[in-house]
Amino acid sequence: MQINLQAIVERSDTRAGRTFDIFVQALILISIISFSLETLPNLDAGTRKLLGIIETIIVVIFSVEYLLRIYVADKKLNYIFSFYGIIDLIAIIPFYISSAVDLRSLRVFRMLRLFRIMKLIRYNQAALRFTKALTIAKEEIVLFSVVTIMLLYLSAVGIYYFENTAQPDVFSSVFHSLWWAVATLTTVGYGDIYPITVGGRIFTFLILMIGLGVVAVPAGLLASALSKVRMENQEKENE
Amino acid sequence: MQINLQAIVERSDTRAGRTFDIFVQALILISIISFSLETLPNLDAGTRKLLGIIETIIVVIFSVEYLLRIYVADKKLNYIFSFYGIIDLIAIIPFYISSAVDLRSLRVFRMLRLFRIMKLIRYNQAALRFTKALTIAKEEIVLFSVVTIMLLYLSAVGIYYFENTAQPDVFSSVFHSLWWAVATLTTVGYGDIYPITVGGRIFTFLILMIGLGVVAVPAGLLASALSKVRMENQEKENE
Amino acid sequence: MQINLQAIVERSDTRAGRTFDIFVQALILISIISFSLETLPNLDAGTRKLLGIIETIIVVIFSVEYLLRIYVADKKLNYIFSFYGIIDLIAIIPFYISSAVDLRSLRVFRMLRLFRIMKLIRYNQAALRFTKALTIAKEEIVLFSVVTIMLLYLSAVGIYYFENTAQPDVFSSVFHSLWWAVATLTTVGYGDIYPITVGGRIFTFLILMIGLGVVAVPAGLLASALSKVRMENQEKENE
Amino acid sequence: MQINLQAIVERSDTRAGRTFDIFVQALILISIISFSLETLPNLDAGTRKLLGIIETIIVVIFSVEYLLRIYVADKKLNYIFSFYGIIDLIAIIPFYISSAVDLRSLRVFRMLRLFRIMKLIRYNQAALRFTKALTIAKEEIVLFSVVTIMLLYLSAVGIYYFENTAQPDVFSSVFHSLWWAVATLTTVGYGDIYPITVGGRIFTFLILMIGLGVVAVPAGLLASALSKVRMENQEKENE
């Protein structure tokens, strides 16, 4: 019996284990949708009550699951202080302490378990490759992050000097200009803040010419590192 | 005669077949333009009538073509239930059932036939390479799609907490915040919804720093896989 | 004398030839700036007159240069009907025919001559590699352009169905929706037109998930082809 | 003693040297934050005074550091006219000459020293690779920059012809149109200036189809050159 329970709860290569995994993941999805629906304004009392009941049922099931996982674990403390153990606890504790802050959205981290079922197939390989690729390109990514932050700050100071006198309400400080720098260098460009002086626009052009290269490089590095890792794995398989 | 008809309708490596293909594709283009024109408001009755006549003529020709294709097919059921067979049917059926819902825009799928003529030359190779590249990078693309959806949801929940009290009408629920997350992480940035609190803006910056990398990687992977497939093909040709 | 003139006008590997090239290019730049200044509204009569004089002087010099180039050319007709020959003519003819349409901006094509002086150094190599890279990735780029146009049209038809009833003035036809599709899939997002219905927003999300990959791939392909060409050249040099 | 001081000030591979470096960098960060805070409008007198005191203290320390660096340098003139020597002077001189123009923001360049401490670990390798990658892709990047500027100008002239009559206040000259070209081709799209005529919109579509490829290529080239440099370094290490 003990072995059976362990096989169901911990492993996902048995039929029962896979069913259990899918059941838990379905509950996570329902819980996330229910959490999102609760944020809708003008919900009528009936719906709100229904969502409350769903929430209670889900938390009870998650609590049972948490206790089960402790029960079947060979090294109980190891599970409790593991990444998933902590996530599992965080997912249910807010309900019991009925804290003012709503932590239920953290339940989304339980979605990470979706990757568990993927272990069955080959998706863990993709995740593994991603980690490897990050390791390969780590130094460049750190370098580019530092350069990006310096560039953002310099852009903010520059545009502040150009635009502050023309638009004192919009570019009212370096911090407000930083918001402009973020929206511009990422090319989001909401349009809530933009230069209107000739100097500010030329400055924006120059910053964008440099900035686009800097901001877009990390994604390219990651993609190229990922391709390389995949290629190496294939070479190993061929040998 | 039977053979000739088949050569004209099904194949595109004969002169007559190519002419037939180009004729059908021209009709598809006319049909698409006519469909688009019909959506224009304030069309006068004369133009509307003309477009209706064009539509009738095109559907009649397409119907004849559909019947011809069934007639010349060696295995008639195979054609009827093939991808192109279904598309060919969908392209004419709305006209006959004069359904309330306007399905004529589905005719655009017939444009896929444009690729048939390309088979003549080498463009099918490019399409083939694209399919191969997708197969190579499939796992990473699925992984990144899952991560993107999780990131979008987490961004939406995060910005909801920061902005809901400041802008209850704009960030009125997690679903409204999701729209912000889509517009921001894809860097479209329409400007209809954006954070105004300091916390929300810092959160946007952090999310963009991570998100830009995640969102831009699949395109890089695809491009790199495509280059790899092209290289492999060239090596084969050289051997 | 004949040989000297030819060396000055046609070649750029002599001292005099280089000086002549730089002189012509400087004139092109002045001409472009003067053309741009003329478009400024509220110019006073004095400035306008000065710009007219500058324009006359430049056209006269360019005319002399054009005649010189014909004079020194070994095969005169070859020059006249060459790419640069036609550009040289287009650059001066508008002034003489004082046509209603202002073609002087076409003079910017003369800037292409800037690449001539680069031939001296190694920049022609970069331009050559670019042409080679385009040839390598040609098929994929054509394929992606076709797919992009189909995607734009399908996006436009889709959003038209979702948004037309909610915003009949903004998404008033498939053509107006096409403008939305262009601004959205390129992630420019001016904010003059965007979906407000739930269906339209979900549709936008789905289209962007597919579209970002499609739109960004050609640049990646080009970059990867360019790197490949550079690598091949280096291998040749090493041999 | 002399040697000890030199070890502390100039080198960062000793314990004391590292502590000194971190201390100076912390001061730089404090100075930058203090500078940014000063730009905030509606600061009360107390805070402003406090920031002034912090500023004075920091400049005094930086002055001592500057003199120390001259004192310990083996070749004093070499240091004074070196890149860092000039930066160090620029960082303190504005305070003394209390110039009308506020140059204190230039102090951000001192942040470049942050890279010095990285020399300890392996980050100098990443910076070195970046320089190498820039050298490799230099020609293409210069070519694409020239093409980008030409494309921006041609886009501006084009849109000016299409939109000037429809929106004389927005697209009032080629220079105003240039601002549109920058915001559009970088896909920032603030939404302060966009075409409204059919011709202008079709022109925008065409320009974006070409422009997206051109603008995004340099980042791809840089990423690919960086990957190549990393690969070469690894091969050397393996040998």
Side-chain angles (χ1 to χ4, degrees), chain B residues 159-214:
Chain B
I159 207 76
Y160 174 76
Y161 277 120
F162 281 114
E163 295 292 326
N164 179 244
T165 39
Q167 305 186 78
D169 291 337
V170 185
F171 291 89
S172 50
S173 76
V174 166
F175 298 104
H176 290 82
S177 303
L178 261 172
W179 173 241
W180 166 85
V182 169
T184 299
L185 282 174
T186 58
T187 77
V188 171
Y190 287 122
D192 55 335
I193 179 168
Y194 50 81
I196 54 168
T197 65
V198 173
R201 288 177 169 186
I202 294 171
F203 180 76
T204 305
F205 164 65
L206 295 174
I207 279 294
L208 276 169
M209 289 296 275
I210 304 165
L212 286 188
V214 171

Side-chain angles (χ1 to χ4, degrees), chain D residues 135-169:
Chain D
T135 317
I136 291 178
K138 197 186 62 194
E139 290 170 28
E140 277 94 350
I141 288 171
V142 169
L143 180 73
F144 270 88
S145 302
V146 171
V147 171
T148 300
I149 288 167
M150 284 178 64
L151 195 69
L152 284 173
Y153 183 76
L154 285 173
S155 310
V157 172
I159 207 77
Y160 174 77
Y161 277 121
F162 281 114
E163 295 293 325
N164 180 245
T165 39
Q167 305 186 79
D169 291 336

Side-chain angles (χ1 to χ4, degrees), chain A residues 56-113:
Chain A
T56 314
I57 295 169
I58 286 170
V59 168
V60 168
I61 299 174
F62 281 175
S63 307
V64 172
E65 183 216 354
Y66 182 61
L67 296 174
L68 258 178
R69 282 192 193 272
I70 297 179
Y71 178 65
V72 301
D74 293 327
K75 298 183 177 179
K76 291 180 202 321
L77 280 177
N78 270 20
Y79 166 70
I80 290 170
F81 293 106
S82 72
F83 177 68
Y84 282 120
I86 290 162
I87 291 293
D88 287 352
L89 188 64
I90 288 172
I92 49 169
I93 225 163
F95 182 82
Y96 293 110
I97 58 170
S98 31
S99 73
V101 187
D102 198 329
L103 287 171
R104 272 173 301 169
S105 69
L106 286 167
R107 200 165 296 153
V108 79
F109 286 113
R110 292 193 65 145
M111 275 189 82
L112 289 170
R113 289 215 167 144

Side-chain angles (χ1 to χ4, degrees), chain D residues 20-83:
Chain D
F20 180 79
D21 272 9
I22 290 167
F23 174 70
V24 168
Q25 281 149 22
L27 278 184
I28 292 167
L29 277 177
I30 291 168
S31 150
I32 285 168
I33 292 163
S34 139
F35 164 80
S36 304
L37 285 172
E38 270 178 59
T39 65
L40 279 172
N42 314 322
L43 268 190
D44 61 274
T47 318
R48 205 168 284 282
K49 206 176 167 186
L50 182 71
L51 292 173
I53 294 167
I54 291 172
E55 175 62 18
T56 314
I57 295 170
I58 286 170
V59 168
V60 168
I61 299 175
F62 280 176
S63 306
V64 172
E65 183 216 355
Y66 182 61
L67 296 174
L68 257 177
R69 281 193 193 271
I70 296 178
Y71 177 66
V72 301
D74 293 328
K75 299 182 174 178
K76 292 180 203 320
L77 280 177
N78 269 20
Y79 166 69
I80 289 169
F81 293 106
S82 71
F83 177 69

